[in-house]
Amino acid sequence: MSEPLRLGIAGLGTVGMGVVKIVQAHGDMLARRAGRPIAITAVSARDRTRNRDADLSGYAWESDPVTLARRDDVDLFIEVMGGDNGPAKAATEAAIAAGKDVVTANKALLAHHGQALAEAAEAAGRVIRFEAAVAGGIPVVKALTEGLAANEIRRVMGVMNGTCNYILTRMESAGLPYDQVFEEARQLGYLEADPNLDVGGIDAGHKLSLLAAVAFGTRVSFDAVELEGIGRVSIDDIRRAADMGYRIKLLGVAQMTGRGLEQRMSPCLVPADSPLGQLQGGTNMVVLEGDSVGQIVLRGPGAGQGPTASAVMSDVIDIARGIRVSTFGQPATTLTAAVSAKATAPAPFYLRMALSDKPGALAKVATILGEAGISIDRMRQYGHEDPTAPVLIVTHRTTRDAIDHALSRLPATGVVEGDPVAIRIESV
């Protein structure tokens, strides 16, 4: 049998230890499938004394991940430390310079530095693979770079942050307000150290920007992703949306239009009976649409030790087999700098507002919407005891600009209390 592929693992947290456990538990199976043994030779982490529930005594230990990346007995550098700069970036650059291939689960690193790292790797004849960085155990990068490589991709869409999906589905099932479920998620350890990475849509936006680069052959442009988190989604919105046959999801959508590349990560309504609408808990789902294949739906665990380590090892096995795919599916120097476009494609919108209990209040709202070119598909007014009445409106297809124009004029009517809520309804 061939010489073993020797791994150096930087980061022994949840994902890193998941990789260790897979290699230790399935060594023979991995060797058969890869055509050569896969062995861990060295590891690195900040705290050597921490109990990690596995025997690490057979591996060399480096306190500095950059030193690990340069070791002569490491062929493949696995970066699972996290962070878009600092040790993760320095060690990845060192590995490439030392002639190592790289497998990473670090979506932030690639979202900010993916183009430069990919160019450096390819200039050195090396590869960077990142299946574990997007949607956990779902093989979506492999689907785009291999299974759908003959397709012109029309749209990439999905729920890519399990914590946000947990919060939204928990709010609905338990009838609890956002703040209470947010704190519950924190206590369960579901939130990042900086919770805004999750609930602000940043983590999911990183993932969307990577998928868009692969799907459309463009340079990663995370700064162009329109980001809106879930912090403003209320239990009232969730209940009212359900009454109208919808559920609210933090949904990422990327598509190439005649004006440029649209990338948005924001709360959207989706039909409750659609695959995305039925997605519960921390599960992720990615929808890919190609010109030849049509629509493909991939569903699975978006995080966790086993699923993410599984994705890391899928890239390791490919490299062991000699399968060498460019980081973003084509040579990095051929990726184009996409023209960024705001999401202006028409869509229905959900509007919720509180109207004063005055004669003609609804008529005034309808007039404003009509003058903005917005037609009403459905409308529902709820019984009330307060001086204001909650009103829901589902529009026909319109643009966000038209919605914003109408909302800006509503206060002048004198019948709208507080700030109206407008959420896009996405077709699935």
Side-chain angles (χ1 to χ4, degrees), residues 132-200:
V134 181
I138 302 174
V140 60
V141 176
K142 190 179 288 288
L144 283 170
T145 56
E146 298 180 29
L148 303 182
N151 285 256
E152 178 180 274
I153 302 299
R154 299 289 172 79
R155 182 167 67 159
V156 175
M157 177 171 57
V159 170
M160 303 177 198
N161 184 278
T163 298
C164 287
N165 201 54
Y166 168 81
I167 289 173
L168 294 172
T169 55
R170 174 71 174 155
M171 286 171 69
E172 180 181 17
S173 64
L176 297 173
Y178 171 83
D179 289 344
Q180 188 171 338
V181 178
F182 175 91
E183 185 56 35
E184 181 181 287
R186 185 199 295 276
Q187 295 293 330
L188 290 169
Y190 291 172
L191 289 163
E192 296 274 2
D194 176 3
N196 194 50
L197 290 173
D198 287 316
V199 298

Coordinates of all heavy atoms in Angstrom, one line a residue, residues 132-200:
A132 N -16.3 21.5 5.0 CA -16.9 21.7 6.4 C -17.2 23.1 6.8 O -17.8 23.3 7.8 CB -15.8 21.1 7.4
A133 N -16.8 24.1 5.9 CA -17.0 25.5 6.3 C -18.5 25.9 5.9 O -18.9 26.9 6.4 CB -16.1 26.4 5.5
V134 N -19.2 25.1 5.2 CA -20.5 25.5 4.7 C -21.5 24.4 5.0 O -21.4 23.3 4.5 CB -20.5 25.8 3.2 CG1 -21.9 26.3 2.8 CG2 -19.5 26.9 2.9
A135 N -22.5 24.7 5.8 CA -23.6 23.8 6.1 C -23.2 22.4 6.7 O -23.8 21.4 6.4 CB -24.4 23.5 4.8
G136 N -22.2 22.4 7.5 CA -21.8 21.3 8.3 C -21.6 20.0 7.5 O -20.8 19.9 6.6
G137 N -22.4 19.0 7.8 CA -22.3 17.7 7.1 C -22.9 17.6 5.7 O -22.7 16.6 5.1
I138 N -23.5 18.7 5.2 CA -24.2 18.6 3.9 C -23.1 18.8 2.9 O -22.3 19.8 2.9 CB -25.2 19.7 3.7 CG1 -26.3 19.6 4.8 CG2 -25.8 19.6 2.4 CD1 -27.3 20.7 4.8
P139 N -22.9 17.9 1.9 CA -21.9 18.0 0.9 C -22.2 18.9 -0.2 O -22.3 18.6 -1.4 CB -21.7 16.5 0.4 CG -23.1 15.9 0.6 CD -23.7 16.6 1.8
V140 N -22.5 20.2 0.1 CA -22.9 21.2 -0.9 C -21.8 21.7 -1.8 O -22.0 21.9 -3.0 CB -23.7 22.3 -0.2 CG1 -22.8 23.1 0.8 CG2 -24.3 23.3 -1.2
V141 N -20.6 21.8 -1.2 CA -19.5 22.3 -2.1 C -19.2 21.2 -3.1 O -19.0 21.5 -4.3 CB -18.2 22.6 -1.2 CG1 -17.1 23.0 -2.1 CG2 -18.6 23.8 -0.3
K142 N -19.1 20.0 -2.7 CA -18.9 18.9 -3.6 C -20.0 18.8 -4.7 O -19.7 18.5 -5.9 CB -18.8 17.6 -2.9 CG -18.3 16.4 -3.7 CD -18.2 15.1 -2.9 CE -17.0 15.2 -1.9 NZ -15.7 15.0 -2.6
A143 N -21.2 19.0 -4.3 CA -22.3 19.0 -5.2 C -22.1 20.0 -6.3 O -22.3 19.8 -7.5 CB -23.7 19.2 -4.5
L144 N -21.7 21.2 -5.9 CA -21.5 22.3 -6.9 C -20.3 22.1 -7.8 O -20.3 22.2 -9.0 CB -21.4 23.6 -6.2 CG -22.7 24.3 -5.7 CD1 -22.4 25.5 -4.8 CD2 -23.6 24.7 -6.8
T145 N -19.2 21.7 -7.2 CA -17.9 21.5 -7.9 C -17.8 20.2 -8.7 O -17.1 20.2 -9.7 CB -16.7 21.6 -7.0 OG1 -16.8 20.6 -6.0 CG2 -16.6 22.9 -6.3
E146 N -18.6 19.2 -8.4 CA -18.5 18.0 -9.1 C -19.9 17.6 -9.7 O -20.0 17.5 -10.9 CB -18.0 16.9 -8.1 CG -16.6 17.1 -7.6 CD -16.1 16.1 -6.6 OE1 -16.5 14.9 -6.8 OE2 -15.3 16.4 -5.8
G147 N -20.9 17.2 -8.8 CA -22.1 16.7 -9.3 C -22.8 17.6 -10.3 O -23.5 17.2 -11.2
L148 N -22.8 19.0 -10.1 CA -23.5 19.9 -10.9 C -22.5 20.7 -11.8 O -22.9 21.8 -12.2 CB -24.3 20.8 -10.0 CG -25.3 20.2 -9.1 CD1 -26.1 21.2 -8.3 CD2 -26.3 19.3 -9.9
A149 N -21.3 20.2 -12.0 CA -20.3 21.0 -12.7 C -20.7 21.3 -14.1 O -20.2 22.3 -14.7 CB -19.0 20.3 -12.7
A150 N -21.6 20.6 -14.7 CA -22.1 20.8 -16.1 C -23.2 21.8 -16.2 O -23.7 22.1 -17.3 CB -22.4 19.5 -16.7
N151 N -23.7 22.3 -15.0 CA -24.8 23.2 -15.0 C -24.4 24.6 -14.9 O -23.5 25.0 -14.2 CB -25.7 22.9 -13.8 CG -26.5 21.6 -14.0 OD1 -27.7 21.7 -14.3 ND2 -25.9 20.5 -13.9
E152 N -25.2 25.5 -15.6 CA -25.1 26.9 -15.3 C -26.1 27.1 -14.1 O -27.3 26.8 -14.2 CB -25.6 27.8 -16.4 CG -25.6 29.3 -16.2 CD -26.1 30.1 -17.3 OE1 -25.2 30.4 -18.2 OE2 -27.3 30.3 -17.4
I153 N -25.5 27.5 -12.9 CA -26.3 27.6 -11.7 C -27.1 28.9 -11.8 O -26.6 30.0 -12.1 CB -25.4 27.6 -10.5 CG1 -24.6 26.3 -10.4 CG2 -26.3 27.8 -9.2 CD1 -25.4 25.0 -10.3
R154 N -28.4 28.8 -11.6 CA -29.3 29.9 -11.6 C -29.5 30.6 -10.3 O -29.6 31.8 -10.2 CB -30.7 29.4 -12.2 CG -30.6 28.8 -13.5 CD -30.4 29.9 -14.6 NE -30.1 29.4 -15.9 CZ -31.0 28.9 -16.8 NH1 -32.3 28.9 -16.4 NH2 -30.7 28.5 -18.0
R155 N -29.6 29.7 -9.2 CA -29.8 30.3 -7.9 C -29.3 29.3 -6.8 O -29.4 28.1 -7.0 CB -31.4 30.6 -7.7 CG -31.7 31.2 -6.4 CD -33.2 31.7 -6.3 NE -34.1 30.6 -6.4 CZ -35.4 30.7 -5.9 NH1 -35.8 31.9 -5.5 NH2 -36.2 29.7 -6.0
V156 N -28.8 29.9 -5.8 CA -28.4 29.2 -4.6 C -29.2 29.8 -3.4 O -29.2 31.0 -3.2 CB -26.9 29.3 -4.3 CG1 -26.6 28.6 -2.9 CG2 -26.1 28.7 -5.4
M157 N -29.9 28.9 -2.6 CA -30.7 29.4 -1.6 C -30.7 28.5 -0.4 O -30.5 27.3 -0.6 CB -32.2 29.5 -2.1 CG -33.2 30.0 -1.2 SD -34.8 30.3 -2.0 CE -35.1 28.7 -2.8
G158 N -30.8 29.0 0.8 CA -30.9 28.0 1.9 C -30.9 28.6 3.3 O -30.7 29.8 3.5
V159 N -31.2 27.7 4.2 CA -31.1 28.0 5.7 C -29.7 27.5 6.1 O -29.5 26.3 6.0 CB -32.2 27.4 6.4 CG1 -32.0 27.4 7.9 CG2 -33.5 28.0 6.1
M160 N -28.8 28.4 6.5 CA -27.4 28.0 6.6 C -26.9 28.2 8.1 O -25.7 28.1 8.3 CB -26.5 28.7 5.6 CG -26.9 28.4 4.2 SD -25.9 29.3 3.0 CE -27.0 29.2 1.6
N161 N -27.8 28.6 9.0 CA -27.3 28.8 10.4 C -28.3 28.1 11.3 O -29.5 28.5 11.4 CB -27.2 30.3 10.7 CG -26.7 30.5 12.1 OD1 -27.5 30.4 13.1 ND2 -25.4 30.7 12.3
G162 N -27.9 26.9 11.8 CA -28.8 26.1 12.6 C -29.3 26.8 13.9 O -30.4 26.6 14.3
T163 N -28.5 27.7 14.5 CA -28.9 28.4 15.7 C -30.1 29.3 15.4 O -31.0 29.3 16.2 CB -27.7 29.2 16.2 OG1 -26.6 28.3 16.6 CG2 -28.1 30.0 17.5
C164 N -30.0 30.0 14.3 CA -31.2 30.9 14.0 C -32.4 30.1 13.7 O -33.5 30.4 14.1 CB -30.8 31.8 12.7 SG -29.7 33.1 13.1
N165 N -32.2 28.9 13.0 CA -33.4 28.1 12.7 C -34.0 27.5 14.0 O -35.2 27.4 14.1 CB -33.1 27.0 11.7 CG -34.3 26.5 11.0 OD1 -35.0 27.2 10.4 ND2 -34.5 25.2 11.1
Y166 N -33.1 27.2 14.9 CA -33.6 26.7 16.2 C -34.4 27.8 16.9 O -35.5 27.5 17.4 CB -32.4 26.3 17.1 CG -32.8 26.1 18.5 CD1 -33.4 24.9 18.9 CD2 -32.7 27.1 19.5 CE1 -33.8 24.7 20.3 CE2 -33.1 26.9 20.8 CZ -33.6 25.7 21.2 OH -34.0 25.5 22.5
I167 N -33.9 29.0 16.9 CA -34.6 30.1 17.6 C -35.9 30.3 17.0 O -37.0 30.4 17.7 CB -33.7 31.3 17.6 CG1 -32.5 31.2 18.5 CG2 -34.5 32.6 18.1 CD1 -31.5 32.3 18.5
L168 N -36.0 30.4 15.7 CA -37.3 30.7 15.0 C -38.3 29.6 15.2 O -39.5 29.8 15.4 CB -37.0 31.0 13.5 CG -36.2 32.3 13.3 CD1 -35.9 32.4 11.8 CD2 -37.0 33.5 13.7
T169 N -37.9 28.3 15.1 CA -38.8 27.2 15.2 C -39.2 27.0 16.7 O -40.4 26.7 16.9 CB -38.2 25.9 14.6 OG1 -37.0 25.6 15.2 CG2 -38.0 26.0 13.1
R170 N -38.3 27.3 17.6 CA -38.6 27.2 19.0 C -39.6 28.3 19.4 O -40.6 28.1 20.2 CB -37.4 27.3 19.8 CG -37.5 27.4 21.3 CD -38.0 26.1 21.9 NE -38.0 26.2 23.4 CZ -38.8 25.4 24.2 NH1 -39.6 24.5 23.6 NH2 -38.7 25.5 25.5
M171 N -39.4 29.5 18.9 CA -40.4 30.6 19.1 C -41.8 30.2 18.7 O -42.8 30.4 19.4 CB -40.0 31.9 18.4 CG -38.8 32.6 19.0 SD -38.2 33.9 17.9 CE -39.6 35.1 18.1
E172 N -41.9 29.6 17.5 CA -43.2 29.2 17.0 C -43.8 28.0 17.8 O -45.0 28.1 18.2 CB -43.1 28.7 15.5 CG -44.4 28.3 14.9 CD -44.3 27.9 13.5 OE1 -43.2 27.6 13.0 OE2 -45.4 27.8 12.8
S173 N -43.0 27.0 18.1 CA -43.6 25.8 18.7 C -44.0 26.0 20.2 O -44.9 25.5 20.7 CB -42.6 24.6 18.6 OG -41.4 24.9 19.3
A174 N -43.2 26.9 20.8 CA -43.4 27.1 22.3 C -44.2 28.4 22.5 O -44.6 28.7 23.7 CB -42.1 27.1 23.0
G175 N -44.4 29.2 21.5 CA -45.0 30.5 21.7 C -44.3 31.5 22.5 O -44.8 32.3 23.3
L176 N -42.9 31.4 22.4 CA -42.1 32.2 23.3 C -41.5 33.4 22.5 O -41.2 33.3 21.3 CB -40.9 31.4 23.8 CG -41.3 30.2 24.8 CD1 -40.1 29.4 25.1 CD2 -41.9 30.7 26.0
P177 N -41.2 34.5 23.2 CA -40.7 35.7 22.6 C -39.2 35.5 22.2 O -38.5 34.6 22.8 CB -40.8 36.8 23.6 CG -40.9 36.1 24.9 CD -41.6 34.8 24.6
Y178 N -38.7 36.3 21.3 CA -37.3 36.2 20.9 C -36.3 36.2 22.0 O -35.4 35.4 22.1 CB -37.0 37.3 19.8 CG -35.5 37.4 19.4 CD1 -35.0 36.5 18.5 CD2 -34.7 38.3 20.1 CE1 -33.7 36.6 18.1 CE2 -33.3 38.3 19.7 CZ -32.9 37.5 18.7 OH -31.5 37.5 18.4
D179 N -36.4 37.2 22.9 CA -35.4 37.4 23.9 C -35.3 36.1 24.8 O -34.2 35.7 25.2 CB -35.7 38.6 24.8 CG -35.5 39.9 24.1 OD1 -34.8 39.9 23.0 OD2 -36.0 40.9 24.5
Q180 N -36.4 35.5 25.1 CA -36.4 34.3 26.0 C -35.8 33.1 25.3 O -35.0 32.4 25.9 CB -37.8 34.0 26.4 CG -37.9 32.9 27.4 CD -39.3 32.7 28.0 OE1 -40.2 33.6 27.9 NE2 -39.6 31.5 28.5
V181 N -36.1 32.9 24.0 CA -35.5 31.8 23.3 C -34.0 32.1 23.0 O -33.1 31.2 23.0 CB -36.2 31.5 22.0 CG1 -35.6 30.4 21.2 CG2 -37.7 31.2 22.3
F182 N -33.6 33.3 22.8 CA -32.2 33.7 22.6 C -31.4 33.3 23.8 O -30.3 32.7 23.7 CB -32.1 35.2 22.4 CG -30.7 35.7 22.3 CD1 -30.0 35.8 21.1 CD2 -30.0 36.1 23.4 CE1 -28.7 36.2 21.0 CE2 -28.7 36.6 23.4 CZ -28.0 36.6 22.2
E183 N -31.9 33.6 25.0 CA -31.2 33.2 26.3 C -31.2 31.7 26.4 O -30.2 31.2 26.9 CB -31.9 33.9 27.5 CG -31.2 33.7 28.8 CD -29.7 34.2 28.7 OE1 -29.4 35.2 28.0 OE2 -28.9 33.5 29.4
E184 N -32.3 31.0 26.0 CA -32.3 29.6 26.1 C -31.2 29.0 25.2 O -30.5 28.1 25.6 CB -33.6 29.1 25.7 CG -33.8 27.6 25.7 CD -35.2 27.2 25.2 OE1 -36.2 27.4 25.9 OE2 -35.3 26.7 24.1
A185 N -31.0 29.5 24.0 CA -30.0 29.1 23.1 C -28.6 29.3 23.7 O -27.7 28.5 23.5 CB -30.2 29.7 21.7
R186 N -28.4 30.5 24.3 CA -27.2 30.8 25.0 C -26.8 29.7 26.0 O -25.7 29.2 26.1 CB -27.2 32.2 25.6 CG -25.8 32.6 26.1 CD -26.0 33.8 27.1 NE -26.4 34.9 26.5 CZ -25.7 35.8 25.9 NH1 -24.4 35.6 25.8 NH2 -26.2 36.9 25.3
Q187 N -27.8 29.4 26.9 CA -27.6 28.5 28.0 C -27.3 27.1 27.4 O -26.5 26.3 28.1 CB -28.9 28.4 28.9 CG -29.2 29.7 29.6 CD -28.1 30.0 30.6 OE1 -27.5 29.1 31.2 NE2 -27.9 31.3 30.9
L188 N -27.8 26.7 26.3 CA -27.6 25.4 25.7 C -26.3 25.4 24.9 O -25.9 24.3 24.4 CB -28.7 25.1 24.7 CG -30.1 24.7 25.4 CD1 -31.2 24.7 24.3 CD2 -30.0 23.4 26.2
G189 N -25.6 26.5 24.8 CA -24.3 26.5 24.1 C -24.4 26.6 22.6 O -23.4 26.3 21.9
Y190 N -25.6 27.0 22.1 CA -25.8 27.0 20.7 C -25.2 28.3 20.0 O -24.9 28.3 18.8 CB -27.3 27.0 20.3 CG -27.9 25.7 20.6 CD1 -29.3 25.6 20.5 CD2 -27.2 24.5 21.0 CE1 -30.0 24.4 20.8 CE2 -27.8 23.3 21.3 CZ -29.2 23.3 21.2 OH -29.9 22.1 21.4
L191 N -25.0 29.4 20.8 CA -24.5 30.6 20.2 C -23.0 30.7 20.2 O -22.3 30.2 21.1 CB -25.1 31.8 21.0 CG -26.6 32.0 20.9 CD1 -27.1 32.9 22.0 CD2 -26.9 32.7 19.5
E192 N -22.5 31.4 19.2 CA -21.1 31.8 19.2 C -20.7 32.7 20.4 O -21.6 33.3 21.0 CB -20.7 32.5 17.9 CG -21.0 31.7 16.6 CD -19.8 30.8 16.3 OE1 -18.8 30.8 17.0 OE2 -19.9 30.1 15.2
A193 N -19.4 32.8 20.7 CA -19.0 33.7 21.7 C -19.5 35.1 21.5 O -19.9 35.8 22.4 CB -17.5 33.6 21.8
D194 N -19.5 35.5 20.2 CA -20.1 36.7 19.8 C -21.4 36.3 19.1 O -21.5 35.9 18.0 CB -19.2 37.5 18.8 CG -19.9 38.7 18.2 OD1 -21.0 39.1 18.7 OD2 -19.3 39.4 17.4
P195 N -22.6 36.5 19.9 CA -23.8 36.0 19.4 C -24.3 36.6 18.0 O -25.0 36.0 17.3 CB -24.8 36.3 20.5 CG -24.0 36.4 21.7 CD -22.7 37.0 21.2
N196 N -23.8 37.8 17.8 CA -24.2 38.5 16.6 C -23.7 37.8 15.3 O -24.3 37.9 14.2 CB -23.7 40.0 16.5 CG -24.4 40.8 15.5 OD1 -25.6 40.8 15.4 ND2 -23.6 41.5 14.7
L197 N -22.6 37.0 15.4 CA -22.2 36.2 14.3 C -23.4 35.3 13.8 O -23.5 35.0 12.6 CB -21.0 35.3 14.6 CG -19.7 36.1 14.8 CD1 -18.6 35.2 15.4 CD2 -19.2 36.8 13.5
D198 N -24.1 34.7 14.8 CA -25.3 33.9 14.5 C -26.5 34.7 14.2 O -27.0 34.8 13.0 CB -25.6 33.0 15.7 CG -24.6 31.8 15.8 OD1 -24.2 31.2 14.8 OD2 -24.2 31.6 17.0
V199 N -27.0 35.4 15.2 CA -28.3 36.1 15.0 C -28.3 37.3 14.1 O -29.3 37.7 13.6 CB -29.0 36.4 16.4 CG1 -29.2 35.2 17.2 CG2 -28.1 37.4 17.1
G200 N -27.1 37.9 13.9 CA -26.9 39.0 13.0 C -26.8 38.5 11.5 O -26.7 39.4 10.6

